[in-house]
Amino acid sequence: MICLITYLSLNSVDIEQVIDERPFVSSMVVVPPVPTQIMFCGQPVDLRRYNMYEGMDRELSSFTYLHSTTLLYIKRANRFFPIIEPILKANGIPDDFKYLSVIESNMDPRAVSPARAVGLWQFLDGTAKQYKLTITATVDERYHIQRSTEAACLYLKEAFGKYGNWIDVAASYNAGMGRITTELNRQNVDSALDLWVVEETARYVYRIFAIKQIFENPYKYGFVILPKDLYKPIVCDEVTISRNIPDLVAFAKEHNITYADLKRLNPWLRDTKLDVEGKSYKVLIPREGELYYNTPNQVVHDPRWVVR
């Protein structure tokens, strides 16, 4: 508690008010509160059944006490949720599926799994091409935030057409539609939550439920975040490229940024050159001053994330 009080006082927060109002602050290790019902994709989910309650408890405990990791999720979401959410909405996908991207990639567009799944939505090579993502020697749109989100929407819509249930859709994103369909038929149940499956898949939907609960109530689960702590969105201009760029280092210099910044903001560029192969691409170039925290961040995508 001493560390908490010191931190808050340094940030000019009313300590007594925070402590009085905060439902989950202790110097002891305390079990996080587990709801008996949540909402997912607009539908209530009853968690009172023993396996469901315990599944939720496990994931809430994990995220609550993996402080640095969960904090990083929320900080990064302040930059990436504003990009993801409109694409989900435009494609008729429930907003709650943004939390699937958190579980898939830790909100890291450059994430690569041991199985070589890539990007925020963790597409394998073959699946990516199936859902219209371009992969060449110099381009990999699995790393492209907008394009990979659009591809994820195509998958999610197809899965919903098959199941008519968003929970089963979420489970299928981990296990695959073939596996979920086979197991639903073999085990003669109606919901993926009732399946006996490998541990990774069994935990997957509860991880989405739990991270949604924490994102919507971070203060309740012990996370005290100020606006300045969140990662600010980096405002960029788009440069349309329809010709090959033989040297991206020179291209970056022409636009007054480093090659490293070019790659960080456009992780789908996979070589020191760009071969467009008859297509056109939009390259992000940050505006002057956007690469610095010259003043504390005040951009808060979701006011529930912070205390003021």
Side-chain angles (χ1 to χ4, degrees):
M1 184 65 74
I2 293 173
C3 293
L4 172 65
I5 291 174
T6 302
Y7 173 78
L8 291 175
S9 64
L10 289 173
N11 289 286
S12 303
V13 174
D14 187 334
I15 301 166
E16 291 186 2
Q17 181 181 357
V18 168
I19 294 174
D20 288 343
E21 293 181 356
R22 183 176 177 144
F24 184 59
V25 174
S26 175
S27 59
M28 299 180 291
V29 177
V30 179
V31 176
V34 181
T36 55
Q37 179 177 283
I38 62 166
M39 297 294 292
F40 182 69
C41 298
Q43 298 294 319
V45 181
D46 188 340
L47 296 172
R48 290 176 297 173
R49 198 174 192 278
Y50 81 97
N51 61 307
M52 297 175 69
Y53 182 91
E54 292 169 13
M56 188 68 167
D57 176 63
R58 175 177 181 172
E59 305 311 330
L60 280 172
S61 295
S62 176
F63 286 127
T64 297
Y65 288 106
L66 285 173
H67 300 118
S68 60
T69 300
T70 304
L71 280 171
L72 192 59
Y73 294 165
I74 299 173
K75 290 178 181 182
R76 288 173 172 171
N78 196 58
R79 178 172 294 163
F80 297 127
F81 274 8
I83 302 171
I84 291 172
E85 288 175 359
I87 298 173
L88 295 176
K89 183 176 181 179
N91 283 274
I93 303 298
D95 186 68
D96 282 347
F97 274 91
K98 65 191 179 190
Y99 299 112
L100 185 148
S101 70
V102 178
I103 300 307
E104 282 290 324
S105 62
N106 301 334
M107 282 271 89
D108 180 3
R110 298 163 64 190
V112 180
S113 78
R116 305 302 297 172
V118 165
L120 277 183
W121 297 93
Q122 291 289 280
F123 278 102
L124 293 169
D125 184 290
T127 309
K129 293 173 181 176
Q130 180 183 347
Y131 291 99
K132 304 180 181 179
L133 293 179
T134 298
I135 301 175
T136 69
T138 66
V139 170
D140 190 337
E141 289 187 329
R142 293 178 295 174
Y143 293 94
H144 194 295
I145 298 171
Q146 289 94 332
R147 292 286 295 120
S148 65
T149 302
E150 290 164 358
C153 288
L154 291 175
Y155 176 94
L156 296 169
K157 285 196 286 189
E158 180 181 339
F160 186 75
K162 187 177 187 66
Y163 299 112
N165 180 301
W166 291 114
I167 290 177
D168 291 352
V169 170
S172 79
Y173 202 91
N174 175 260
M177 282 186 265
R179 174 60 58 84
I180 293 299
T181 299
T182 296
E183 293 301 328
L184 286 171
N185 292 333
R186 188 175 71 85
Q187 298 181 37
N188 194 25
V189 294
D190 297 324
S191 170
L193 294 177
D194 293 324
L195 290 175
W196 181 261
V197 287
V198 297
E199 183 179 20
E200 179 186 341
T201 302
R203 294 181 61 183
Y204 187 76
V205 176
Y206 293 107
R207 296 189 74 215
I208 298 172
F209 290 168
I211 205 63
K212 176 180 186 286
Q213 184 74 9
I214 291 173
F215 264 67
E216 292 180 350
N217 308 274
Y219 189 58
K220 181 177 181 179
Y221 288 92
F223 295 96
V224 179
I225 304 169
L226 300 173
K228 76 175 188 65
D229 299 323
L230 299 172
Y231 292 169
K232 74 182 188 75
I234 297 175
V235 180
C236 296
D237 293 316
E238 292 183 340
V239 176
T240 300
I241 305 298
S242 55
R243 294 182 179 180
N244 293 346
I245 301 176
D247 186 349
L248 286 172
V249 175
F251 175 84
K253 190 172 183 62
E254 289 170 8
H255 288 84
N256 300 313
I257 61 171
T258 66
Y259 174 68
D261 287 326
L262 177 68
K263 297 283 276 190
R264 275 190 285 262
L265 292 166
N266 302 274
W268 53 273
L269 294 170
R270 303 311 298 168
D271 203 339
T272 57
K273 62 181 180 179
L274 171 61
D275 294 332
V276 298
E277 299 186 8
K279 297 186 177 183
S280 65
Y281 295 95
K282 295 183 185 297
V283 175
L284 298 179
I285 304 295
R287 294 180 183 174
E288 186 176 357
E290 283 296 315
L291 300 177
Y292 297 89
Y293 283 87
N294 292 324
T295 58
N297 172 62
Q298 291 297 320
V299 178
V300 178
H301 179 64
D302 189 329
R304 294 174 296 182
W305 294 344
V306 300
V307 294
R308 292 183 183 269

